[in-house]
């Protein structure tokens, strides 16, 4: 199985900050990497698919990059509604696997 | 609009069975693969299973293989998850999600249904 390792597991930031979350795969997954945002008590929401494609309706302050085994999610300027948990997910092969999550707190 | 709505969750004793449903609307259900993903209380996301658009193939997480069965009825726009031999560690919110055509990403999610396995 492909293991996905996210870091950090949590971070504290302020409105307006630029933050980066890292996701590392245990083997190459080409560009088959997706990012999700989840707020407490809510379903996950797709932010970015295939490493860098912004899902419709997602603000442009979110961006993704990487290839092979190393990937990043960047939020260029944090807004209050961005405080949430973020998960990476490899969609290269089954079993599909998620990273452990990053909680972004004020 | 595109929607997924899960149902069928509840409290069940260890060793018993439960069947979850996911009703799809607003898109051509028979064109997309579908997933089940779960989240134990206070934990991260865990993928459970995927079924291809036509039901011809299905794949499972090792943790549920042999106990859970994913299926679909394209004539009724409904996805199912039959869960047998339930264990305490199956306690979670279960989400259905639409597969992004061409990959195993998930672009539409339901609101989730809660399964509690307890005696």
């Amino acid at each position: 199985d492909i293991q996905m390792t996210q870091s950090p597991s949590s971070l504290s930031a302020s409105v307006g900050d630029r933050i980066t979350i890292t996701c590392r795969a245990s083997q190459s997954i080409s560009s088959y990497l997706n990012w999700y945002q989840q707020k407490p008590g809510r379903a996950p929401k797709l932010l970015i698919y295939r490493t860098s494609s912004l899902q419709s309706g997602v603000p442009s302050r979110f961006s993704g990059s990487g290839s092979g085994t190393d990937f990043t999610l960047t939020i260029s300027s944090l807004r209050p509604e961005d405080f949430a948990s973020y998960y990476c997910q490899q969609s290269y092969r089954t079993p599909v696997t998620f990273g452990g999550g990053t909680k972004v707190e004020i | 609009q595109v929607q997924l709505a899960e149902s069928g969750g509840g409290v069940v004793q260890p060793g018993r069975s439960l069947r979850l449903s996911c009703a799809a609307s607003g898109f051509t259900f028979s064109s997309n693969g579908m997933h089940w993903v779960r989240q134990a209380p206070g934990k991260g996301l865990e993928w459970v299973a995927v079924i291809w658009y036509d039901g011809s193939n299905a794949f499972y997480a090792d943790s549920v293989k042999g106990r859970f069965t994913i299926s679909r009825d394209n004539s009724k726009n409904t996805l199912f998850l039959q869960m047998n031999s339930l264990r305490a560690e199956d306690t979670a919110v279960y989400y259905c999600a639409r597969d992004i055509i061409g990959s195993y990403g998930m672009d539409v999610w339901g609101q989730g249904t809660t399964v509690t396995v307890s005696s």
Side-chain angles (χ1 to χ4, degrees), chain B residues 19-34:
Chain B
R19 189 196 201 201
L20 305 183
S21 299
C22 169
S25 59
F27 68 101
T28 304
F29 180 68
S30 58
S31 294
N32 291 80
M34 295 293 297

Side-chain angles (χ1 to χ4, degrees), chain A residues 1 32 34 36 38 42-44 46 49-50 55 87 89 91-96 98 100, chain B residues 35 37 39 43-47 50 59 62 95 100 102-107 109-111:
Chain A
D1 298 0
Y32 288 89
N34 311 301
Y36 302 86
Q38 187 181 32
R42 303 289 297 274
L46 177 66
Y49 61 97
R50 292 296 295 270
Q55 175 68 352
Y87 295 90
Q89 175 237 337
S91 54
Y92 184 67
R93 66 160 61 105
T94 60
V96 167
F98 289 90
Chain B
H35 298 262
V37 175
Q39 187 169 36
K43 303 296 184 182
L45 300 172
E46 180 188 16
W47 175 78
V50 63
F59 301 95
D62 285 346
Y95 297 101
I100 300 173
S103 81
Y104 289 125
M106 303 160 208
D107 65 346
W109 295 66
Q111 83 286 352

Side-chain angles (χ1 to χ4, degrees), chain A residues 53-65:
Chain A
S53 295
L54 204 62
Q55 175 68 352
S56 175
V58 174
S60 59
R61 62 181 181 273
F62 292 91
S63 64
S65 64

Side-chain angles (χ1 to χ4, degrees), chain B residues 3 11 14 32 44-45 91 103 114:
Chain B
Q3 280 189 318
V11 180
N32 291 80
L45 300 172
T91 294
S103 81
T114 301

Side-chain angles (χ1 to χ4, degrees), chain B:
Chain B
Q1 68 275 32
V2 176
Q3 280 189 318
L4 298 171
E6 302 92 338
S7 60
V11 180
V12 61
Q13 293 179 327
R16 304 298 291 264
S17 299
L18 204 60
R19 189 196 201 201
L20 305 183
S21 299
C22 169
S25 59
F27 68 101
T28 304
F29 180 68
S30 58
S31 294
N32 291 80
M34 295 293 297
H35 298 262
W36 286 99
V37 175
R38 68 185 181 184
Q39 187 169 36
K43 303 296 184 182
L45 300 172
E46 180 188 16
W47 175 78
V48 173
V50 63
I51 187 167
W52 285 14
Y53 69 100
D54 59 355
S56 61
N57 267 301
F59 301 95
Y60 299 88
D62 285 346
S63 58
V64 307
K65 201 174 294 182
R67 300 187 299 124
F68 289 12
T69 301
I70 188 172
S71 62
R72 65 191 298 158
D73 185 339
N74 284 348
S75 68
K76 296 183 178 178
N77 293 343
T78 305
L79 174 74
F80 302 100
L81 185 67
Q82 177 67 42
M83 304 187 294
N84 298 333
S85 303
L86 282 162
R87 306 167 180 168
E89 54 265 36
D90 296 318
T91 294
V93 176
Y94 284 73
Y95 297 101
C96 61
R98 187 177 76 172
D99 185 65
I100 300 173
I101 295 174
S103 81
Y104 289 125
M106 303 160 208
D107 65 346
V108 180
W109 295 66
Q111 83 286 352
T113 188
T114 301
V115 173
T116 303
V117 183
S118 173
S119 54

Side-chain angles (χ1 to χ4, degrees), chain A residues 1 3-4 20 22-23 39 46 53 55 57 75 81 97-98:
Chain A
D1 298 0
Q3 309 303 318
M4 304 301 295
T20 298
T22 297
C23 185
K39 297 180 179 179
L46 177 66
S53 295
Q55 175 68 352
I75 308 175
E81 59 267 32
T97 44
F98 289 90

